Amino acid sequence: MAIENIPEIYLSNTKKRPDLFVYDFKMTNDVVKSKVNLGMNMFSFLQVGKKQVHFAGNSIAVNKDQSLLLKKGNWLWTELLETEAIYYCKLLFFSEKVLKEFLEKHTEARSILRDEVPYFVIRNDAYITSYLNSLVTIHEAPAIFMENLLSVKFEELLLYLINKYGDTFKLYLQSLIVKETSAFKKIVESKIHSNLKLEEIAFLCNMSLSTFKRHFIKEYDVSPGKWLQNKRLQKAKEMLEQGDCKPSDIYLDFGYNNLSNFSIAFKNKFGFSPSKISL
């Protein structure tokens, strides 16, 4: 699957990336785990549909009642239609330059955000609805005024969200201009119990699959496929032993396409089939 460079694919002039940019994204087909290189921090105001994003350390799912502020980086996006035959969200991209200018103007010296995460979930309300309508109005303004109007609207949005979420949001904004130093092991081990493929985990580590495999063997002294399989099967065994689920309930969650393959791998590791645990 090709990597989508965003917002470049939405810009008519890719040589000049604006500091603030609004784009109306619409689609009529589900997209599952598309590879996205997000080159700017971005607000995603979901209007219709569902969205899930896999990050290096975790994942988040939202619906039309929520919006996301996403940190730039390599992410896997899943965007799903709901009851209507269209998916629609309004995207607001902003550069580190305008964010730094805002923080210098409206906040004190930077504090430390203890649990740094690449997203912030925003609960949609009457203000958000009104704000999105105002962005539509801005697009109707002459181009000469567009940049200044958008700058004012960006500042208005951040001030509102700081007022709504307080220091939590302020600290998150400050974390966006800090270089992220995610450890390779931290990324890998956060994906042990996901159903992501090796290629997808490598992408989240910002590596090619071959580079990822070499780095993995250097760190763990075993192939990533074997290591992940053992970790996932061990977790599956623990879940089955708790008695709350059956093999047919969980095989997809651990990266197996069908129950038969899961059962064979499970028996090869533990010497008995998973169905015997739930008997």
Side-chain angles (χ1 to χ4, degrees):
M1 187 185 296
I3 297 173
E4 294 185 338
N5 295 306
I6 296 176
E8 282 75 11
I9 60 173
Y10 304 145
L11 296 170
S12 55
N13 182 3
T14 56
K15 293 182 179 179
K16 184 181 179 182
R17 181 193 285 176
D19 288 316
L20 290 165
F21 175 59
V22 177
Y23 184 79
D24 288 330
F25 177 78
K26 298 178 181 180
M27 67 177 190
T28 55
N29 297 297
D30 290 345
V31 174
V32 178
K33 288 191 287 195
S34 63
K35 294 178 179 178
V36 172
N37 177 3
L38 185 60
M40 296 177 74
N41 298 314
M42 180 194 79
F43 282 96
S44 174
F45 298 104
L46 186 56
Q47 306 290 284
V48 182
K50 295 180 179 179
K51 186 186 194 88
Q52 182 179 34
V53 186
H54 290 274
F55 305 98
N58 47 22
S59 63
I60 183 67
V62 295
N63 56 31
K64 63 183 180 181
D65 297 323
Q66 300 163 307
S67 295
L68 281 176
L69 172 50
L70 295 174
K71 184 173 185 175
K72 67 179 184 179
N74 280 8
W75 316 131
L76 296 169
W77 287 11
T78 294
E79 295 169 304
L80 304 174
L81 309 184
E82 206 166 10
T83 54
E84 301 181 45
I86 192 170
Y87 173 96
Y88 170 52
C89 64
K90 189 176 285 289
L91 308 177
L92 172 57
F93 300 91
F94 59 95
S95 68
E96 288 188 15
K97 175 177 174 286
V98 295
L99 178 57
K100 285 178 181 177
E101 290 172 353
F102 173 86
L103 292 173
E104 288 171 1
K105 182 177 178 182
H106 295 287
T107 65
E108 308 81 26
R110 191 181 73 230
S111 302
I112 297 174
L113 184 62
R114 293 178 183 176
D115 299 319
E116 187 173 324
V117 291
Y119 64 88
F120 192 95
V121 179
I122 297 162
R123 176 65 59 179
N124 291 341
D125 55 18
Y127 169 83
I128 295 296
T129 300
S130 175
Y131 182 82
L132 295 177
N133 289 334
S134 72
L135 291 183
V136 174
T137 305
I138 284 179
H139 271 291
E140 298 170 356
I144 193 170
F145 298 123
M146 180 78 72
E147 186 176 338
N148 288 336
L149 283 171
L150 198 52
S151 178
V152 171
K153 294 302 295 182
F154 175 71
E155 186 171 0
E156 174 196 331
L157 175 64
L158 295 194
L159 287 173
Y160 173 77
L161 293 174
I162 287 176
N163 180 64
K164 182 175 182 177
Y165 294 107
D167 287 342
T168 303
F169 185 74
K170 191 184 300 183
L171 289 173
Y172 179 76
L173 289 179
Q174 291 170 342
S175 77
L176 294 179
I177 59 174
V178 177
K179 292 287 185 180
E180 188 173 2
T181 56
S182 299
F184 177 82
K185 284 189 174 183
K186 180 181 176 182
I187 297 173
V188 168
E189 291 172 15
S190 71
K191 297 303 174 190
I192 290 174
H193 308 312
S194 74
N195 60 359
L196 296 184
K197 299 175 183 177
L198 282 182
E199 182 186 6
E200 293 166 340
I201 299 175
F203 174 75
L204 293 177
C205 292
N206 201 24
M207 295 179 178
S208 67
L209 182 57
S210 59
T211 301
F212 174 82
K213 287 180 177 179
R214 287 196 301 271
H215 198 84
F216 193 100
I217 292 172
K218 183 178 179 180
E219 290 281 355
Y220 292 95
D221 201 29
V222 65
S223 71
K226 188 69 174 176
W227 186 88
L228 281 170
Q229 182 187 55
N230 287 336
K231 292 288 186 181
R232 289 171 174 173
L233 287 173
Q234 186 61 48
K235 179 63 176 180
K237 181 172 177 286
E238 292 170 6
M239 289 180 64
L240 293 171
E241 287 173 342
Q242 291 173 2
D244 297 328
C245 57
K246 299 180 293 185
S248 57
D249 298 328
I250 65 171
Y251 71 89
L252 282 173
D253 295 333
F254 290 95
Y256 291 89
N257 293 327
N258 57 65
L259 180 58
S260 176
N261 287 345
F262 172 71
S263 297
I264 291 171
F266 191 98
K267 188 172 183 179
N268 287 340
K269 179 169 176 59
F270 299 111
F272 54 88
S273 66
S275 58
K276 287 193 174 182
I277 296 179
S278 52
L279 291 177

